[in-house]
Amino acid sequence: MIGGLFIYNHKGEVLISRVYRDDIGRNAVDAFRVNVIHARQQVRSPVTNIARTSFFHVKRSNIWLAAVTKQNVNAAMVFEFLYKMCDVMTAYFGKISEENIKNNFVLIYELLDEILDFGYPQNSETGALKTFITQTGIKSQSKEEQSQITSQVTGQIGWRREGIKYRRNELFLDVLESVNLLMSPQGQVLSAHVSGRVVMKSYLSGMPECKFGMNDKIVIDKQGKGGATEEAAGKSDLGGSGGGGGKQSIAIDDCTFHQCVRLSKFDAERSISFIPPDGECELMRYRTTKDIILPFRVIPLVREVGRTKLEVKVVIKSNFKPSLLAQKIEVRIPTPLNTSGVQVICMKGKAKYKASENAIVWKIKRMAGMKESQISAEIELLPTNDKKKWARPPISMNFEVPFAPSGLKVRYLKVFEPKLNYSDHDVIKWVRYIGRSGIYETRC
Amino acid sequence: MVCSVSICAGEIFELKAELNSDKKEKKKEAVKKVIASMTVGKDVSALFPDVVNCMQTDNLELKKLVYLYLMNYAKSQPDMAIMAVNTFVKDCEDANPLIRALAVRTMGCIRVDKITEYLCEPLRKCLKDEDPYVRKTAAVCVAKLHDINAQLVEDQGFLDTLKDLISDSNPMVVANAVAALSEIAESHPNSNLLDLNPQSINKLLTALNECTEWGQIFILDCLANYTPRDDRESQSICERVTPRLSHANSAVVLSAVKVLMKFMEMLPKDLDYYGTLLKKLAPPLVTLLSAEPELQYVALRNINLIVQKRPEILKHEMKVFFVKYNDPIYVKLEKLDIMIRLASQANIAQVLAELKEYATEVDVDFVRKAVRAIGRCAIKVEQSAERCVSTLLDLIQTKVNYVVQEAIVVIKDIFRKYPNKYESVIATLCENLDSLDEPEARAAMIWIVGEYAERIDNADELLESFLEGFHDESTQVQLQLLTAIVKLFLKKPTETQELVQQVLSLATQDSDNPDLRDRGYIYWRLLSTDPVAAKEVVLAEKPLISEETDLIEPTLLEELICHIGTLASVYHKPPSAFVEGSRGVMHKRLPARTGSGESTESPDVGTAAGGSAPEAAPSIIPSQGDLLGDLLNLDMAPPTTTGPPPPNTGMQMGGMDLLGGGLDSLVGISHSMGAGFGAAPAVMPASLNAPVGGGLGDLFDLGGGVGMPMGAYIPPKTVWLPAMKAKGLEISGTFARRAGVIQMELILTNKAMSVMTDFAIQFNRNSFGLAPAGPLQVLTPLGPNQTIEVSLPLSTVGPVMKMDPLNNLQVAVKNNIDVFYFSCQYPISMLFVEDGKMERQVFLATWKDIPNDNESQFQIKDCHLNSDAASSKLQGSNIFTIAKRTVEGQDMLYMSIKLSNGIWVLAELRVQAGNPNYTISLKCRAPEVSQCVFQCYEAVLKN
C-alpha cells in the first residue's frame, strides 16, 4: 500500500510529509526531488521507479503531490486517491497553492490521518469529513452526534450526513457535453463522439431517495411508447430539443456513475437510483457516438494561386433550431509557416491574423441557428526553397450551445423523502443543457 | 523525521513555557508551532515531555496534534514514549468512538517494541467494539502490528478475530479486514489465511455493493485471488462483479476487469454468457481513456496487456487510441503502441494516415516510434506494405536526420519480410548514407548493402568507405560490416579480394572484441577451406520474420493479467522484479478452464492460457546478441518499437543475453555447420575416444549413486553432446537433487588437440524455468584428452516457455572454439520439492476439487517391491505418502508431490500382493506433467 505522501512546491521544498510505512525513509523525499522535480526534461511518466521505490505524482498548478511505495500497489487506486486528495483539499480551503497549503498544514495532516490509514484509503467524501474534521475546532459533541458521525463515516451512505434541513428544497441538473468531430474537406464525418457529464447540485432535506430518468434508448424501448407518459419533470424541455429535433431516444455507449448510484440496480433494471451527497456532485459520465447533432458545419475552400499566394474561404453553418443562440464561437484557420501577410474579410464577428500562432482567428460572439457566415482571406507567402509541402493542419472550432448535441434529455428526477413531509412536487428543479466543442476539426 | 535545522534554545524555552500554560488556547497554539517546526525539519524532540503532557485533553484537535508529534519522535525517544502509553490505554476506553479509534490508530503507528506489548489488550477490545468506526480502524491496526511483530499477532490470536470481521455487519469493516488479511497473507504465501470459499466469497460480494469506492477495490483485488470451483461459480461471480464496470472510480473498474479477465478463463467459449461478457468489457475500457492523463496512462498500460491476451475485445475500437494533440507524451507513446497491436487490414488506411501525421510532430521519441510503427504495419498487413514503403520514402525525403535513420532501420525489416519486392528503393536509401550517425541505422544500411551487393554497382566503394573508421564503430556496426563484406566477396569474388582480406585482418588481429574476432576467424576458415560451404552458410536463406516481435512472453503475460491495475501491470514486470522481500514473490496464474463443455480440451488449457507460446516463439526474431544468429547476420536488434521495456525479469535475464533466446529455431542449422567444420584438421577423429568417455561416465555415475544411498533417484549419465558434433568436446551428464538444490552434473571431455578454455553455459527457456544459478565452474583450461567433472547448481527462476516434451532442456555451451547446442531431458523428479507433503484434509479436498478429466492412469510393470518399500523409496525422491489404505488385499497409497513452480500432483498407487504390475492414477491441475511424473515413478521404483 501507499508508504508515504509528500507535497512539494515548485522548487522541490517539502510542504507536507507524512510517512505511513517504515520502508520509506527520508531519502525518498530527496530522491523524488532530484530525479523528477529537478530533472530538466519533460515528465516521461507519471510513475517513476527510483532505487526500487515507486513514486506516483500528480501536479496541480505548481504543487507536486507524490505518493510513494515499495510494494506492488494498485496503481489506479493511488492516482484516484491523489485526485480525491486534491478534491478534499479544494473543498476545505480552495485553490491548491503553496500559500494555502502552508496556512492549512495542521488541517492537511489531520485529513491525511483520517483518509489514509497505514496507506489504505478510507472514506474521503468531503460531506462526511466536514462533520468531524473542522477548522474551527471541535465543539463538544453529544453522544448521539458522535455515533451519528461514526455510523455515517462507515455506513452505506458515507457521502451524506443525516439531519440536513433546507427551507426550500431545490435541485439543479446540468447536462454538460463536449462534442468532438473530425470531418473531411468534403463534409464526411471521419469520427465524432460526445462525452457528457450530468452534474447535480442538490439542496434537499433529510435523506432523499432520488430516481433519475433520461431518454436512454434501452429504457425507452423496454417501456414501449405507452410508458412515455411517465414524464414527470416538466422542466425537461427547457431548451432541451436541439436542431436535429424529433429524436426520441439516444444510444449510450457507456456510462459511469458517482458512487452514490446503486450499480447493481442499474445493471439489472437500468434505472438510476441514489441518495445524493449534499451540494454538488458529478452524478454520471457518458459517451455516445451515434446520431450526434453537429451544431456547426465548416466548409473550407483553399486555393493556391501560384507559389506565393493562397486564397482561403471558410463558410460556417449553424445547424440547430433558429430560436437558440450559440455563443463564444471561434474558428481557427491555420496558415503556412512562410506567411508574410494576410488580408481578411468577414461578414460577422472579428477576424485577426496571429503570426505567433500561425493562424487566422475568427471570433463571433453570438450566432442563431440555421444561419451561415463566411470569411475569406488572402494569404501572401514568402518564396522558400523548402520542398516539403505545407501539411495543412485542420481548421478547428470552439463554441458553446444551449442544448445537448448527443440528444440526451432529462425525462425526470423524482425525489422521495419518506420521513419528512415534502413530496416530489415541492422540490424546485432546474435543468440546464450546455454543449461545448471538444476537439472539433475539419480538414482542409 | 531526520532533523537538520537546529532551533535556538530561546525558542525552545519559549515553547516550553507556552506548552505548560494553563490556557487551553495558548497550549494549542504552542503545539501547532511545534508541529510547524517539525514539518520544516527543525529538531523539536527536546520538547517531548512537555508535548506529551498536553495529551490528556478532551480537545480532539489538540490531541491529534500531539499524536502527530508522537508518531514522529517516539522512535527516537522510546523510553519517553512509554509515558504516553497510559493515555492511549485510557483513550481506548473513552466514551467517544472517535477518540477510541484515534488512540488505536495512533498506537499502531508508534513503532516502538515496548509499546506494542501494551497495545494488545486495547486492540483486542477495539476489534470487538460496538462502534463500526472503531472496528474498521482496529482491523487495519492488526496489519500494522503484524508489520512490527508478526509472531505477537499470531500468538495473540488476532488473525482469527480479523477473519471473523469478514462476516461483520458493516461493509467498511469487512473491506478493511479484507485489506489487512490480504496484506498479512502476502507475507505468508503458503498459509491459508484468507481461506476463500464459496460462503466467504458470497459475503464479500454482498459487501461489495455497499462499501466505499476504496473498499470495493480491496474486495475486488481480494476476489481476484480466488479460484472458483467450476465454470458455473465463475459465471455467477462474474455476473455480480460486472455492475462495477460502471463505477466512476477507474480503480474500481480496473479491478473489476481483472476479476473478469481472470475468471473468464474458466468459462467455456461456446457459452452465450462468454460472448456477452466480452462485449461488456470494451465500453468501460474505452471510457477509462477520458480520465485524467495519469490514469489514462495506467489504463493504457493495462489495455496493452488485455489487447495481447484477448485482441477481440477492442478490435473495433481503434479510433479511440488516436493520439490527441494535447495528450502528454507518455499517453501518446502508449496509444501508439496499442494502435500497432490493433492494426489490421480493415483499419490500416486510417492508421497509416494517422501515423503519417505523427511522424511530423515535435517530440523526437514519438516521431521515431511513429516511423517504426509504419514499418510494423507493413510487416503486419501485407496489403498495406506498398503504401507503407512509399510513406517511408516520403519521410526520408524530409531529410530530418532521426526520421531518415529510423526509416532505414524499418525498411531493412520490410526487405526481410518481403524479399525481392521493394529493392527498387535501395538507390534512394544509398543517397542518405552520409547522414547516418546512429549505430543501428548504420548497421541496417550496411546489411542492406551487403545483402543486395549484386544490385548495387558501387557496393564495394560504399562498404570501403565505412571500413576507414572501422575501430571507431560500435560492435553492432563492425559485425555487420564484416558480414556484409564477406557476402560481397562471395557474390563478386574477383574485385573484392583485397577488401575482404582487409576486413578479416581488422577483425581478427586488431580487435579486442572476442565476438568480432571469433566471427572473423570463422569466416576466414570457412573461406579458406570450403568456399562452397561458406556460401551455404553466409548466404543461407534467412527465416522469415514474424509480425509480432514485441509481444510479452505468454507466461509473463498471464501473470501480469492477474495483476491488472497494479504497478506490475504498469511496469510490465512481475512484482518480484521490483518488490523487495517476500511480498509479492508468489507467482499468480490464471485458472485453468474446467467444466463440462470442453472437457476434452482441458489438458491443454494450462498453457492454452499461455496461448500461442509453442507455435509463436520460434518464429519470433531472435533477440539481440544471438551468436549463431550473428553468423547468419540476423544480429540486428529486433524491430521492436521503443516503447515498453522488454520484460526484463531482473537477474534471470542477466546471463541470458550471452547466447540469446532464439536457440530452437537455429539448432537445425548448427548441425549442418558442424558438418561443414568436420573437415577442419583441428578436429580429432572423435569416434576413437568415445568409448573411453562413456566408461568414465559410468564410473562417475556409480560414485554418485553410492554417495547418496537413500537419496533421490539420479539417472545414469548419458552422452548429451558427442565429440563429433562439437569439434572434439564431449559432454555427458545427468541431473540430481541434493539437499534441496538441483544440480546438473556434467563431464566435459576434450577430445580435440587444442586446449579448451572460457567455458560458459546457458539454457534456452524451458517449461520450469530452469536456469544456471551460477557460472560454469571450469577454472582451468581443459587440455587435450583431459576430463573434468563439474556440478552446476540450477535455479528455477529462469524464463519459462512450454517445451515438448515437457522436460526437454536446450543447452548452449560455449568455449573458446565455438558455441555448441544440444538438448537433453531431465527427470522431473528433481523438481520435486522437500515440502511437498500435503495435509490429509487438504489432499482430500484437492483430490475432489481437481476435475476427473485431469486424471490419468498408468501401469508400472514388473516391479517387485512391497508397498512399504516402494513408499520409502519414493520418499527419497520427495514423493510423499500421505495415507495408506488396504482394500481386499490391495494396498492403496496416496501420495503428493509439489513441483518447484508450485504445481501439486496427487497420486494414488495401487499395489496388489503378488502382482508385479502397479496401477497409478495421477491428478493434477496441469495434467500435462502427468506423463513426466509417471516416468519418474517408473524410474525411481525400478532403480
Side-chain angles (χ1 to χ4, degrees):
Chain A
M1 277 306 114
I2 298 173
L5 207 139
F6 308 128
I7 301 179
Y8 301 85
N9 65 8
H10 66 287
K11 285 186 244 163
E13 291 164 350
V14 191
L15 304 178
I16 298 285
S17 134
R18 176 75 210 262
V19 174
Y20 294 93
R21 303 244 169 174
D22 252 11
D23 53 3
I24 304 299
R26 181 81 186 181
N27 51 357
V29 184
D30 303 324
F32 183 76
R33 174 182 28 243
V34 173
N35 287 289
V36 182
I37 302 181
H38 288 177
R40 290 277 161 87
Q41 45 353 8
Q42 206 185 353
V43 175
R44 301 307 275 197
S45 164
V47 187
T48 323
N49 193 322
I50 307 164
R52 289 191 151 235
T53 309
S54 298
F55 295 81
F56 300 75
H57 75 262
V58 300
K59 231 183 137 183
R60 289 287 178 270
S61 62
N62 54 9
I63 299 294
W64 299 72
L65 283 91
V68 193
T69 183
K70 284 207 160 185
Q71 297 172 29
N72 182 30
V73 298
N74 189 322
M77 183 184 81
V78 176
F79 280 123
E80 284 283 6
F81 177 78
L82 288 175
Y83 302 143
K84 194 60 155 221
M85 169 94 199
C86 293
D87 290 349
V88 171
M89 287 197 293
T90 315
Y92 266 96
F93 51 77
K95 196 172 166 278
I96 296 176
S97 65
E98 182 171 351
E99 201 193 344
N100 277 345
I101 287 174
K102 278 185 173 163
N103 289 339
N104 291 286
F105 78 94
V106 172
L107 171 72
I108 295 174
Y109 277 125
E110 203 178 331
L111 285 170
L112 277 177
D113 198 41
E114 187 59 42
I115 59 179
L116 205 53
D117 191 4
F118 199 43
Y120 289 103
Q122 304 292 309
N123 192 340
S124 46
E125 284 300 318
T126 356
L129 289 172
K130 280 195 170 168
T131 58
F132 66 107
I133 296 185
T134 54
Q135 279 169 291
T136 50
I138 289 264
K139 300 145 237 149
S140 59
Q141 296 146 326
S142 72
K143 212 166 160 122
E144 291 80 62
E145 276 170 336
Q146 288 164 4
S147 73
Q148 203 177 31
I149 289 171
T150 59
S151 78
Q152 192 216 327
V153 174
T154 60
Q156 294 179 20
I157 312 162
W159 50 86
R160 189 182 181 95
R161 67 190 169 88
E162 291 207 37
I164 296 173
K165 278 214 171 69
Y166 287 102
R167 279 218 343 246
R168 207 158 102 117
N169 287 299
E170 205 170 12
L171 68 84
F172 300 86
L173 274 180
D174 280 353
V175 177
L176 307 170
E177 294 195 341
S178 130
V179 54
N180 298 275
L181 169 78
L182 185 63
M183 192 177 255
S184 76
Q186 291 75 34
Q188 191 192 353
V189 177
L190 298 175
S191 76
H193 77 269
V194 167
S195 56
R197 303 184 296 142
V198 177
V199 176
M200 176 170 173
K201 230 184 258 175
S202 63
Y203 304 100
L204 301 170
S205 310
M207 298 298 261
E209 184 68 51
C210 298
K211 205 171 164 194
F212 174 67
M214 52 186 177
N215 56 341
D216 177 3
K217 194 162 191 294
I218 297 174
V219 179
I220 304 271
D221 289 356
K222 215 172 12 183
Q223 290 172 340
K225 293 271 183 278
T229 48
E230 205 188 330
E231 201 107 355
K235 297 179 182 69
S236 65
D237 22 358
L238 261 178
S241 53
K247 207 158 53 152
Q248 291 298 314
S249 60
I250 62 160
I252 291 175
D253 288 24
D254 187 39
C255 44
T256 59
F257 295 100
H258 184 265
Q259 64 164 324
C260 65
V261 176
R262 295 181 189 91
L263 294 177
S264 41
K265 210 159 175 188
F266 177 75
D267 195 57
E269 315 160 16
R270 227 175 152 84
S271 73
I272 303 164
S273 63
F274 55 95
I275 296 172
D278 193 40
E280 188 171 312
C281 82
E282 187 181 284
L283 184 64
M284 155 181 188
R285 270 179 192 239
Y286 57 92
R287 190 161 44 80
T288 72
T289 45
K290 289 194 190 70
D291 301 323
I292 293 167
I293 306 155
L294 297 169
F296 285 95
R297 164 101 204 265
V298 178
I299 305 157
L301 202 77
V302 181
R303 206 161 66 93
E304 290 179 33
V305 188
R307 293 206 47 177
T308 56
K309 206 170 155 191
L310 271 180
E311 279 181 15
V312 180
K313 199 171 111 179
V314 176
V315 180
I316 58 168
K317 281 186 179 168
S318 55
N319 178 34
F320 43 89
K321 266 191 193 168
S323 57
L324 301 174
L325 273 181
Q327 289 184 69
K328 299 176 193 166
I329 302 151
E330 183 185 295
V331 182
R332 189 170 279 265
I333 305 162
T335 56
L337 298 174
N338 54 338
T339 303
S340 62
V342 177
Q343 273 100 50
V344 211
I345 308 159
C346 58
M347 288 160 46
K348 236 185 144 187
K350 280 180 191 158
K352 237 188 209 165
Y353 166 62
K354 294 198 173 165
S356 59
E357 295 167 38
N358 285 312
I360 300 167
V361 180
W362 177 24
K363 285 183 179 169
I364 304 170
K365 278 205 182 115
R366 257 173 241 105
M367 188 164 168
M370 301 320 254
K371 288 259 166 42
E372 71 173 68
S373 186
Q374 78 170 36
I375 183 172
S376 46
E378 273 184 24
I379 302 167
E380 274 163 46
L381 305 174
L382 291 171
T384 55
N385 306 327
D386 204 355
K387 276 188 211 142
K388 198 187 155 194
K389 267 178 64 184
W390 177 45
R392 285 201 186 177
I395 296 173
S396 59
M397 224 189 138
N398 288 315
F399 54 79
E400 199 180 291
V401 288
F403 61 88
S406 68
L408 182 128
K409 272 177 234 166
V410 176
R411 288 175 55 223
Y412 57 81
L413 201 148
K414 289 184 241 178
V415 182
F416 307 98
E417 165 55 65
K419 287 189 197 141
L420 299 174
N421 56 348
Y422 71 94
S423 73
D424 186 44
H425 296 291
D426 304 328
V427 180
I428 306 160
K429 301 169 191 166
W430 305 89
V431 183
R432 180 168 62 159
Y433 298 86
I434 299 175
R436 291 199 183 95
S437 52
I439 296 167
Y440 202 85
E441 295 178 334
T442 307
R443 293 197 175 143
C444 59
Chain B
M1 206 174 278
V2 179
C3 305
S4 46
V5 190
S6 57
I7 184 167
C8 69
E11 219 173 317
I12 291 274
F13 182 79
E14 218 168 274
L15 282 169
K16 227 181 182 87
E18 284 177 38
L19 285 170
N20 291 316
S21 149
D22 295 332
K23 285 181 187 147
K24 272 188 186 170
E25 268 314 302
K26 211 164 190 186
K27 244 185 192 176
K28 201 164 95 185
E29 284 310 310
V31 178
K32 271 191 187 175
K33 279 184 205 162
V34 172
I35 303 281
S37 306
M38 189 177 85
T39 303
V40 296
K42 287 184 188 167
D43 186 357
V44 281
S45 59
L47 295 166
F48 202 94
D50 308 281
V51 177
V52 171
N53 271 339
C54 300
M55 200 170 155
Q56 291 195 21
T57 167
D58 48 2
N59 185 321
L60 204 53
E61 198 187 5
L62 178 58
K63 199 169 224 109
K64 281 179 181 171
L65 290 173
V66 176
Y67 282 177
L68 190 62
Y69 178 90
L70 262 177
M71 284 186 265
N72 266 318
Y73 285 113
K75 229 182 162 183
S76 54
Q77 313 232 354
D79 294 326
M80 283 208 261
I82 297 285
M83 298 183 352
V85 165
N86 263 336
T87 321
F88 277 125
V89 176
K90 221 174 91 196
D91 277 0
C92 283
E93 313 233 324
D94 196 284
N96 186 342
L98 291 170
I99 290 183
R100 292 203 295 276
L102 182 65
V104 77
R105 182 166 70 213
T106 314
M107 247 179 132
C109 295
I110 296 178
R111 303 174 59 93
V112 174
D113 274 339
K114 284 178 192 158
I115 289 203
T116 50
E117 292 167 31
Y118 296 98
L119 178 58
C120 291
E121 275 324 300
L123 178 57
R124 199 186 314 282
K125 264 184 213 147
C126 287
L127 279 166
K128 300 209 161 124
D129 199 285
E130 52 169 19
D131 195 292
Y133 184 77
V134 180
R135 290 202 299 277
K136 72 111 186 164
T137 312
V140 176
C141 190
V142 176
K144 291 179 189 167
L145 189 58
H146 186 269
D147 198 37
I148 307 169
N149 191 342
Q151 198 54 47
L152 187 69
V153 170
E154 276 168 54
D155 295 347
Q156 295 278 335
F158 284 138
L159 292 182
D160 293 322
T161 324
L162 202 52
K163 278 189 209 167
D164 293 341
L165 287 185
I166 288 192
S167 314
D168 199 280
S169 59
N170 184 294
M172 194 155 172
V173 177
V174 178
N176 275 3
V178 166
L181 275 173
S182 301
E183 179 167 341
I184 294 170
E186 245 178 62
S187 45
H188 299 269
N190 294 322
S191 70
N192 202 14
L193 204 56
L194 267 164
D195 187 30
L196 295 175
N197 55 47
Q199 288 77 41
S200 58
I201 290 292
N202 198 28
K203 277 178 205 152
L204 292 185
L205 285 167
T206 312
L208 184 62
N209 285 329
E210 294 164 352
C211 60
T212 64
E213 45 194 333
W214 314 116
Q216 295 184 18
I217 298 168
F218 306 152
I219 291 179
L220 287 168
D221 284 351
C222 173
L223 270 180
N225 291 327
Y226 175 66
T227 310
R229 288 163 306 169
D230 52 27
D231 51 338
R232 223 165 281 146
E233 190 187 3
S234 178
Q235 178 176 345
S236 86
I237 295 176
C238 285
E239 278 166 357
R240 294 178 69 177
V241 167
T242 28
R244 298 299 119 199
L245 293 175
S246 310
H247 203 286
N249 187 316
S250 306
V252 176
V253 176
L254 268 178
S255 291
V257 169
K258 165 164 58 192
V259 174
L260 296 175
M261 281 292 284
K262 201 178 163 192
F263 288 8
M264 237 168 133
E265 287 295 316
M266 296 185 68
L267 299 177
K269 286 201 164 139
D270 47 3
L271 194 72
D272 285 345
Y273 182 71
Y274 181 82
T276 325
L277 197 54
L278 273 183
K279 268 187 218 131
K280 277 196 176 166
L281 276 171
L285 287 174
V286 173
T287 301
L288 289 178
L289 298 185
S290 52
E292 289 84 344
E294 291 86 4
L295 267 174
Q296 275 188 52
Y297 174 74
V298 174
L300 286 164
R301 291 294 279 173
N302 280 287
I303 289 172
N304 198 328
L305 298 173
I306 293 167
V307 164
Q308 287 183 58
K309 180 78 188 147
R310 295 189 181 278
E312 64 270 31
I313 295 179
L314 288 167
K315 65 180 173 198
H316 298 302
E317 305 287 350
M318 169 64 93
K319 277 187 190 168
V320 298
F321 297 104
F322 285 176
V323 170
K324 290 186 192 134
Y325 183 75
N326 289 328
D327 284 337
I329 183 66
Y330 49 81
V331 170
K332 284 184 177 174
L333 291 171
E334 291 307 316
K335 281 187 173 172
L336 194 50
D337 227 26
I338 294 168
M339 276 173 70
I340 308 168
R341 291 203 197 286
L342 290 177
S344 68
Q345 204 186 329
N347 55 26
I348 195 75
Q350 271 185 316
V351 174
L352 263 182
E354 283 291 315
L355 292 177
K356 210 176 162 181
E357 294 274 318
Y358 304 163
T360 58
E361 286 231 21
V362 248
D363 190 283
V364 177
D365 280 352
F366 182 60
V367 171
R368 280 172 179 272
K369 200 166 181 174
V371 175
R372 283 206 181 207
I374 296 174
R376 299 305 310 151
C377 288
I379 289 164
K380 203 170 170 194
V381 185
E382 191 167 353
Q383 290 80 356
S384 75
E386 200 162 341
R387 237 182 311 167
C388 295
V389 172
S390 75
T391 310
L392 287 171
L393 284 179
D394 285 352
L395 291 172
I396 289 178
Q397 298 300 352
T398 63
K399 305 274 180 198
V400 178
N401 189 289
Y402 53 86
V403 174
V404 173
Q405 310 213 35
E406 212 60 49
I408 286 180
V409 172
V410 292
I411 286 182
K412 174 211 72 192
D413 290 327
I414 297 177
F415 284 172
R416 284 277 311 278
K417 170 85 180 181
Y418 309 109
N420 303 319
K421 242 182 142 175
Y422 300 110
E423 282 76 6
S424 53
V425 307
I426 290 176
T428 322
L429 302 186
C430 289
E431 287 168 20
N432 294 288
L433 216 55
D434 301 331
S435 62
L436 307 181
D437 52 12
E438 288 162 25
E440 203 183 351
R442 283 171 88 83
M445 193 62 220
I446 292 170
W447 182 88
I448 292 171
V449 174
E451 187 67 17
Y452 299 99
E454 66 272 26
R455 301 176 195 224
I456 305 169
D457 296 333
N458 60 344
D460 48 342
E461 282 170 36
L462 293 177
L463 292 176
E464 203 172 353
S465 67
F466 280 104
L467 211 52
E468 283 162 19
F470 189 77
H471 289 298
D472 303 327
E473 300 282 4
S474 73
T475 310
Q476 194 183 9
V477 181
Q478 289 177 334
L479 286 169
Q480 211 45 250
L481 196 53
L482 172 61
T483 305
I485 292 180
V486 170
K487 278 193 213 162
L488 176 69
F489 172 70
L490 289 168
K491 287 173 178 173
K492 299 179 181 173
T494 46
E495 309 127 58
T496 57
Q497 201 145 8
E498 204 178 306
L499 191 63
V500 80
Q501 276 184 345
Q502 203 183 336
V503 76
L504 285 175
S505 84
L506 276 173
T508 54
Q509 285 159 25
D510 303 339
S511 168
D512 298 332
N513 185 326
D515 285 345
L516 186 63
R517 266 202 323 255
D518 282 359
R519 198 196 283 195
Y521 278 123
I522 287 168
Y523 283 144
W524 204 322
R525 276 193 208 163
L526 261 175
L527 293 173
S528 54
T529 48
D530 190 352
V532 181
K535 220 168 189 166
E536 264 171 45
V537 172
V538 180
L539 301 179
E541 200 164 308
K542 281 158 281 295
L544 276 186
I545 58 174
S546 86
E547 303 166 358
E548 304 285 354
T549 49
D550 46 355
L551 286 180
I552 292 175
E553 204 220 337
T555 37
L556 177 63
L557 179 62
E558 211 175 294
E559 192 183 347
L560 293 180
I561 290 286
C562 300
H563 288 293
I564 283 179
T566 68
L567 261 182
S569 72
V570 174
Y571 293 145
H572 289 184
K573 284 180 191 171
S576 51
F578 60 91
V579 176
E580 279 166 7
S582 63
R583 282 174 204 281
V585 172
M586 210 173 24
H587 288 277
K588 292 192 180 175
R589 295 197 59 195
L590 291 176
R593 184 162 291 136
T594 61
S596 44
E598 280 190 318
S599 54
T600 46
E601 268 182 48
S602 65
D604 292 328
V605 173
T607 46
S612 49
E615 309 91 65
S619 64
I620 288 177
I621 296 180
S623 56
Q624 199 166 6
D626 186 314
L627 278 186
L628 198 61
D630 276 356
L631 292 178
L632 292 172
N633 58 66
L634 305 180
D635 57 344
M636 263 159 317
T640 43
T641 40
T642 45
N648 194 338
T649 42
M651 56 153 285
Q652 311 147 14
M653 295 291 285
M656 214 54 194
D657 293 336
L658 179 60
L659 302 181
L663 223 53
D664 32 9
S665 67
L666 300 164
V667 171
I669 307 165
S670 83
H671 291 314
S672 66
M673 293 252 326
F677 281 106
V683 181
M684 275 282 290
S687 52
L688 273 177
N689 289 343
V692 183
L696 259 178
D698 287 348
L699 275 177
F700 280 113
D701 173 44
L702 264 178
V706 173
M708 300 271 299
M710 275 312 286
Y713 162 70
I714 300 168
K717 287 198 172 75
T718 46
V719 176
W720 284 334
L721 181 71
M724 285 270 286
K725 283 191 174 168
K727 298 183 193 167
L729 174 67
E730 187 188 73
I731 300 178
S732 58
T734 187
F735 295 90
R737 187 181 182 91
R738 299 212 161 104
V741 179
I742 305 168
Q743 288 181 321
M744 187 184 201
E745 314 210 330
L746 295 159
I747 295 175
L748 308 174
T749 312
N750 182 357
K751 294 183 177 174
M753 297 288 279
S754 54
V755 176
M756 294 179 178
T757 55
D758 304 329
F759 283 93
I761 192 165
Q762 194 153 49
F763 296 173
N764 193 5
R765 291 188 281 179
N766 53 69
S767 316
F768 293 95
L770 281 174
L776 191 61
Q777 297 288 339
V778 184
L779 300 172
T780 48
L782 193 59
N785 277 327
Q786 257 189 340
T787 293
I788 188 167
E789 201 182 353
V790 208
S791 163
L792 177 72
L794 306 182
S795 68
T796 53
V797 294
V800 176
M801 178 174 75
K802 196 194 172 195
M803 301 296 291
D804 191 27
L806 208 60
N807 55 347
N808 195 16
L809 180 67
Q810 296 179 327
V811 184
V813 171
K814 184 187 162 195
N815 62 12
N816 58 331
I817 296 172
D818 204 343
V819 188
F820 309 103
Y821 302 89
F822 62 87
S823 67
C824 54
Q825 294 185 7
Y826 47 90
I828 207 168
S829 61
M830 71 181 199
L831 299 169
F832 298 171
V833 292
E834 276 68 25
D835 63 345
K837 188 158 187 172
M838 226 181 213
E839 291 293 343
R840 272 172 163 230
Q841 264 72 27
V842 181
F843 182 91
L844 259 165
T846 317
W847 184 271
K848 276 191 206 145
D849 204 31
I850 299 177
N852 285 334
D853 304 309
N854 285 11
E855 183 170 343
S856 31
Q857 225 172 50
F858 303 93
Q859 288 273 328
I860 302 174
K861 293 202 170 112
D862 290 312
C863 196
H864 300 277
L865 294 168
N866 66 22
S867 58
D868 289 337
S871 168
S872 68
K873 208 161 182 185
L874 290 166
Q875 176 113 24
S877 289
N878 292 339
I879 302 175
F880 299 96
T881 306
I882 289 165
K884 181 178 160 183
R885 199 153 63 104
T886 310
V887 183
E888 298 166 356
Q890 200 177 30
D891 286 342
M892 322 256 262
L893 296 176
Y894 295 94
M895 305 186 229
S896 73
I897 300 163
K898 187 182 169 193
L899 297 182
S900 56
N901 60 355
I903 294 181
W904 286 92
V905 183
L906 310 186
E908 182 197 53
L909 186 69
R910 263 177 267 171
V911 182
Q912 194 144 25
N915 185 350
N917 297 346
Y918 296 173
T919 311
I920 180 160
S921 304
L922 295 173
K923 255 188 162 186
C924 176
R925 289 195 200 278
E928 48 278 72
V929 301
S930 299
Q931 181 67 32
C932 296
V933 172
F934 159 65
Q935 284 165 2
C936 287
Y937 264 93
E938 197 161 46
V940 172
L941 288 173
K942 288 189 179 172
N943 177 29

